[in-house]
Amino acid sequence: MSLTLSIVVFEEDIKTVHYPKGAAVVVQNAVNPGLFFIVRSGRVVVDSEHIQIDHELSVYEPGDSFGLVSALTEHHYLVTLFAQTDVELVQVPIRLLGSYLKEHKELAMKILGLYSRELRALQKNLSKANKPIDREYHPEKLLANAKIYLEWGNLNLAAYSAHKYLDWAKESGTPGLVQEAERMLIDIKSTYKPIEWKTQKNSLQSGDVLFVESEKSNEIYVILDGNVKLFSIVRGFEYVIDVLGPGEIFGEMSLIDNAPRMASALVEGNALILRVTSENLFESVGESLLQKIFESIARRIWFSHQRLIILRIKSPVTRLYAFLYNSIRDRDIRQGRNLTESLNMQHSFYLRLDELCSLCGIIKIKSESIQEFLSDSNLIIEKDKITVKSRKRIEEKLGQNKSKEGQITLKVV
């Protein structure tokens, strides 16, 4: 899809740059000086041995963009890009991203779609060994999932999912499994119902459900305070996809493609959540929050790349250390914390041990296989929180699985 760009240079730091056919635009492993690029004309392609997640993401045409992840996460470029034709790019300093996209709504939605598809492709790769991805809408799955949630003992999730099936049956005029859903609600013995959003911001309690797997909805959410867990059902078990904190955005993928939810979202602890629809996205958020939305997606893309590497590490103990280390780095970037400060402080994560194991691809916990981790004096493992006393000692545990640049790598034997 081609997008006609009308570029208004409202800051002298934003400029147009040209590359002749065959020229390297960015080079793999080079440092991004904090720039975001939008293709104005021409065609930019990937020239790298880096594993391609999606063919769509290996070619950049007018209206496409790149450099967001490396600029916002302060990492090196993951790939080399070269000009397949003569190319004209708009070069935007990352500090001006929010204000620039606020003035270019069509472009912002296209970029949001591009990065959402990349994030979805990464998450698909993270879970494909555990469950097939089906983006078709099957409302009866809401009832099947409700039964599993009930087996887990999570009455809120079970009731929510059954209510959503009944909502669909009423709106579509399809009797289907209505009686079964109504009997299930009686068996669940819960008065919990989906949240009524009377205002865009809502204070929620621990256990509140924002959406469930297989639900058809297209709102996006921004966490202003608190935490939200994203998870899916894998072979009857809870597979934790992510635990998000303040400033993070989620739910944007269903906004882009109007497909059913790939995961469920559950509030952990009290939280303040902003709910945004596609119709009021740009009217609801200011430049700084718009910037944070794209920063959040960029960090999640980077973190997902690192998780793919973590899941390829054979040792389950090393996987756990790698995940905690990467979580610390992600938080440092988000909070603008320097290395010295990070090394000399404790880092707490509101994760249960089983959730951490799930994030690392360890679905069934075997204590003997992670005994080294469980007995580590550098860790405080509580019921719903894991604290790292020293980041430096975590780095020492990783050894050759950490590069000089601070990235998780596969140990070369």
Side-chain angles (χ1 to χ4, degrees):
M1 174 181 176
S2 178
L3 180 68
T4 301
L5 297 180
S6 175
I7 303 300
V8 179
V9 180
F10 56 91
E11 290 277 356
E12 61 181 9
D13 288 333
I14 297 175
K15 61 184 180 181
T16 301
V17 292
H18 299 83
Y19 291 87
K21 179 179 178 180
V25 178
V26 300
V27 179
Q28 187 177 25
N29 294 323
V31 176
N32 185 335
L35 298 173
F36 174 67
F37 299 92
I38 304 163
V39 182
R40 188 173 186 180
S41 66
R43 185 178 172 91
V44 177
V45 297
V46 173
D47 179 23
S48 171
E49 295 180 357
H50 185 272
I51 298 173
Q52 292 305 305
I53 301 300
D54 191 323
H55 177 69
E56 174 185 26
L57 303 176
S58 65
V59 177
Y60 300 87
E61 297 179 319
D64 289 337
S65 60
F66 56 89
L68 179 67
V69 175
S70 55
L72 288 174
T73 59
E74 302 176 3
H75 291 105
H76 298 188
Y77 289 114
L78 291 174
V79 297
T80 294
L81 300 178
F82 74 91
Q84 193 176 53
T85 65
D86 289 345
V87 170
E88 187 178 73
L89 303 176
V90 179
Q91 178 179 289
V92 184
I94 204 64
R95 60 186 172 80
L96 300 177
L97 179 65
S99 56
Y100 183 82
L101 294 180
K102 185 78 172 177
E103 298 297 322
H104 299 82
K105 297 180 182 179
E106 184 183 0
L107 177 62
M109 286 302 294
K110 181 177 176 65
I111 294 171
L112 181 61
L114 174 67
Y115 284 100
S116 293
R117 288 192 297 273
E118 181 172 357
L119 184 56
R120 184 190 308 120
L122 285 163
Q123 291 182 347
K124 179 179 178 180
N125 277 300
L126 282 167
S127 63
K128 68 181 181 181
N130 296 310
K131 62 179 287 189
I133 300 297
D134 183 358
R135 298 296 279 166
E136 297 297 321
Y137 184 42
H138 304 289
E140 63 275 8
K141 284 186 176 180
L142 290 167
L143 287 186
N145 291 346
K147 293 177 182 177
I148 295 174
Y149 300 142
L150 189 56
E151 291 174 0
W152 292 357
N154 194 315
L155 303 185
N156 285 7
L157 280 171
Y160 181 104
S161 200
H163 276 298
K164 282 299 176 179
Y165 178 82
L166 289 173
D167 289 345
W168 168 82
K170 182 179 179 179
E171 292 171 5
S172 65
T174 305
L177 303 173
V178 168
Q179 291 184 347
E180 181 180 343
E182 291 174 341
R183 286 197 302 270
M184 185 178 296
L185 282 173
I186 294 173
D187 293 338
I188 292 171
K189 298 178 181 178
S190 171
T191 58
Y192 189 81
K193 293 183 179 180
I195 300 163
E196 291 187 19
W197 290 83
K198 296 180 180 179
T199 60
Q200 283 189 286
K201 292 181 184 178
N202 212 336
S203 295
L204 305 181
Q205 298 179 339
S206 183
D208 277 339
V209 183
L210 292 165
F211 53 79
V212 291
E213 186 175 347
S214 302
E215 177 184 347
K216 194 76 175 289
S217 61
N218 61 0
E219 298 84 8
I220 63 175
Y221 300 86
V222 181
I223 305 173
L224 303 179
D225 190 30
N227 295 282
V228 172
K229 178 173 67 175
L230 301 180
F231 61 95
S232 61
I233 300 170
V234 177
R235 299 193 298 274
F237 292 91
E238 178 186 284
Y239 178 79
V240 180
I241 295 170
D242 216 338
V243 178
L244 307 177
E248 302 281 13
I249 178 177
F250 60 98
E252 74 288 341
M253 288 183 281
S254 290
L255 181 150
I256 296 300
D257 62 10
N258 198 34
R261 300 289 188 182
M262 295 174 62
S264 298
L266 191 68
V267 175
E268 294 199 326
N270 295 332
L272 180 62
I273 306 294
L274 173 69
R275 176 178 178 265
V276 182
T277 65
S278 58
E279 292 78 17
N280 63 14
L281 174 61
F282 291 93
E283 290 71 25
S284 301
V285 301
E287 294 176 2
S288 60
L289 187 53
L290 189 62
Q291 175 108 4
K292 286 183 179 180
I293 286 173
F294 283 87
E295 287 177 359
S296 172
I297 294 175
R299 284 196 308 273
R300 287 169 64 193
I301 287 173
W302 174 257
F303 196 64
S304 295
H305 273 291
Q306 288 284 274
R307 278 191 67 192
L308 283 172
I309 295 174
I310 290 171
L311 290 178
R312 293 172 62 193
I313 296 174
K314 291 184 178 181
S315 166
V317 170
T318 304
R319 286 192 207 176
L320 295 172
Y321 284 127
F323 190 93
L324 288 178
Y325 167 75
N326 217 38
S327 298
I328 294 172
R329 295 183 69 242
D330 178 69
R331 183 181 289 178
D332 288 346
I333 292 169
R334 187 167 65 247
Q335 298 181 0
R337 195 160 47 212
N338 63 47
L339 178 61
T340 301
E341 183 183 359
S342 177
L343 284 173
N344 297 321
M345 62 181 292
Q346 289 190 347
H347 301 270
S348 295
F349 300 95
Y350 287 89
L351 278 171
R352 301 194 311 268
L353 177 63
D354 62 316
E355 290 176 335
L356 175 61
C357 289
S358 177
L359 285 162
C360 295
I362 308 169
I363 303 299
K364 295 182 179 180
I365 303 174
K366 295 182 179 179
S367 58
E368 61 270 18
S369 65
I370 57 171
Q371 188 57 43
E372 178 186 346
F373 183 85
L374 296 175
S375 59
D376 191 339
S377 61
N378 186 43
L379 304 174
I380 303 173
I381 302 175
E382 301 175 74
K383 181 180 179 181
D384 59 356
K385 184 172 69 172
I386 297 175
T387 300
V388 176
K389 295 180 182 179
S390 167
R391 167 179 165 163
K392 185 177 180 180
R393 288 172 62 184
I394 290 286
E395 293 183 15
E396 291 171 353
K397 290 286 186 179
L398 290 174
Q400 295 183 32
N401 286 112
K402 183 184 76 69
S403 70
K404 292 180 179 179
E405 294 77 24
Q407 301 175 22
I408 300 298
T409 61
L410 288 175
K411 182 177 179 180
V412 179
V413 181

